[in-house]
C-alpha cells in the first residue's frame, strides 16, 4: 500500500518518540503501540496494551491476504482507512438476553465465516458474543471502552487463547480499535527474495 504521510502526522510521531522510547518493541507491536498512542494522545497505552508479535504477524499476513474485517460499530469502520469492513449493527435487534451489539456479531459471523479480523471498540457484549462463537479468527482486536463489562470482556478474551490485541484497563474505544487495525494495514508487507 502506497500511503503518503502528512507532515503533521510525521511531527506527531516525532514528538511521541521524544517522550516515549518504543525502540525495544518488535516491529508490529511497536506499530500498534505507536498508532494507538497517536490516536488517543495517551502514553499510558504503552503499558496497558496486551499483544503477541507472532499473532500480529499472522494477522498481518491474513489482512494483506484479503481476510474480511468485521467491526462492532460503524464508527470503528469509519476509522479504518483503505479497507472495506463488515458491520451488521443496523440489521441487528435486541432480544431477551441478547443486546443489539451481540446480535450484530452473530449476523456478521453468518456473513463472513471463520478467519476474519474482528475489531471491537465499543460494546463489551459484542466481544462477549464473539467469544461464544466458533469464529476461528485471524485476530480479535478487543478494545471496548467503559465501566460496565469492558475490563471483564477483555480479560475473557485474553483467557480464551484466541489471537488478540486487548488492554487491561477500562480505556479503549472506536478510535483506538481502528488505529490498531490501521497499524497492521499500513505496516509494509515484506516479500521474500526471488531466487536468482
Amino acid at each position: 500500500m502506497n500511503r503518503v504521510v502528512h507532515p503533521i502526522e510525521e511531527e506527531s510521531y516525532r514528538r511521541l518518540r521524544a517522550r516515549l522510547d518504543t525502540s525495544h518493541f518488535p516491529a508490529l507491536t511497536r506499530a500498534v503501540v505507536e498508532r494507538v498512542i497517536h490516536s488517543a494522545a495517551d502514553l499510558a497505552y504503552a503499558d496497558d496494551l496486551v499483544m503477541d508479535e507472532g499473532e500480529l504477524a499472522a494477522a498481518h499476513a491474513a489482512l494483506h491476504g484479503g481476510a474480511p474485517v468485521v467491526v462492532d460499530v460503524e464508527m470503528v469502520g469509519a476509522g479504518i482507512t483503505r479497507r472495506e469492513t463488515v458491520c451488521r449493527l443496523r440489521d441487528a435487534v435486541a432480544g431477551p438476553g441478547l443486546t443489539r451489539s451481540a446480535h450484530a456479531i452473530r449476523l456478521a459471523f453468518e456473513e463472513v465465516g471463520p478467519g476474519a479480523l474482528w475489531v471491537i471498540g465499543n460494546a463489551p457484549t459484542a466481544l462477549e458474543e464473539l467469544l461464544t462463537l466458533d469464529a476461528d479468527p485471524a485476530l480479535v482486536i478487543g478494545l471496548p471502552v467503559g465501566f460496565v463489562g469492558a475490563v471483564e470482556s477483555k480479560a475473557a478474551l485474553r483467557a480464551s487463547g484466541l489471537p488478540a490485541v486487548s488492554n487491561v484497563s477500562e480505556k479503549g474505544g472506536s478510535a483506538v480499535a481502528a488505529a490498531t487495525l490501521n497499524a497492521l494495514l499500513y505496516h509494509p508487507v515484506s516479500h521474500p527474495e526471488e531466487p536468482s
Side-chain angles (χ1 to χ4, degrees):
M1 164 184 292
N2 292 328
R3 180 174 173 267
V4 177
V5 179
H6 193 279
I8 293 172
E9 183 177 333
E10 287 180 351
E11 177 61 14
S12 180
Y13 272 81
R14 187 195 66 74
R15 292 183 186 192
L16 182 162
R17 291 172 182 146
R19 294 178 61 184
L20 178 71
D21 180 10
T22 59
S23 64
H24 63 285
F25 289 118
L28 288 167
T29 300
R30 181 180 185 189
V32 169
V33 168
E34 287 184 348
R35 189 146 295 277
V36 166
I37 290 171
H38 174 261
S39 74
D42 185 348
L43 297 172
Y45 271 110
D47 296 318
D48 192 38
L49 288 165
V50 179
M51 67 197 96
D52 175 81
E53 184 73 7
E55 292 175 353
L56 292 179
H60 181 263
L63 177 64
H64 289 277
V69 176
V70 180
V71 298
D72 64 331
V73 293
E74 291 179 12
M75 190 176 294
V76 173
I80 295 172
T81 56
R82 302 182 186 204
R83 188 61 187 267
E84 292 296 318
T85 62
V86 173
C87 181
R88 297 296 304 273
L89 191 59
R90 287 180 186 248
D91 306 316
V93 292
L98 185 72
T99 66
R100 222 174 121 223
S101 296
H103 186 228
I105 294 301
R106 286 185 190 178
L107 294 174
F109 180 61
E110 288 172 7
E111 180 177 336
V112 303
L117 287 91
W118 295 80
V119 189
I120 298 174
N122 185 64
T125 59
L127 182 53
E128 291 165 1
E129 183 64 25
L130 179 60
L131 295 178
T132 70
L133 303 175
D134 190 19
D136 190 23
L139 184 70
V140 178
I141 296 170
L143 295 168
V145 62
F147 295 112
V148 178
V151 168
E152 295 84 356
S153 67
K154 291 181 275 194
L157 172 60
R158 290 189 298 277
S160 74
L162 294 175
V165 176
S166 69
N167 69 311
V168 177
S169 72
E170 294 93 350
K171 295 188 300 188
S174 298
V176 297
T180 302
L181 193 282
N182 284 339
L184 298 176
L185 192 58
Y186 300 162
H187 199 273
V189 177
S190 58
H191 298 283
E193 292 292 324
E194 295 288 327
S196 18

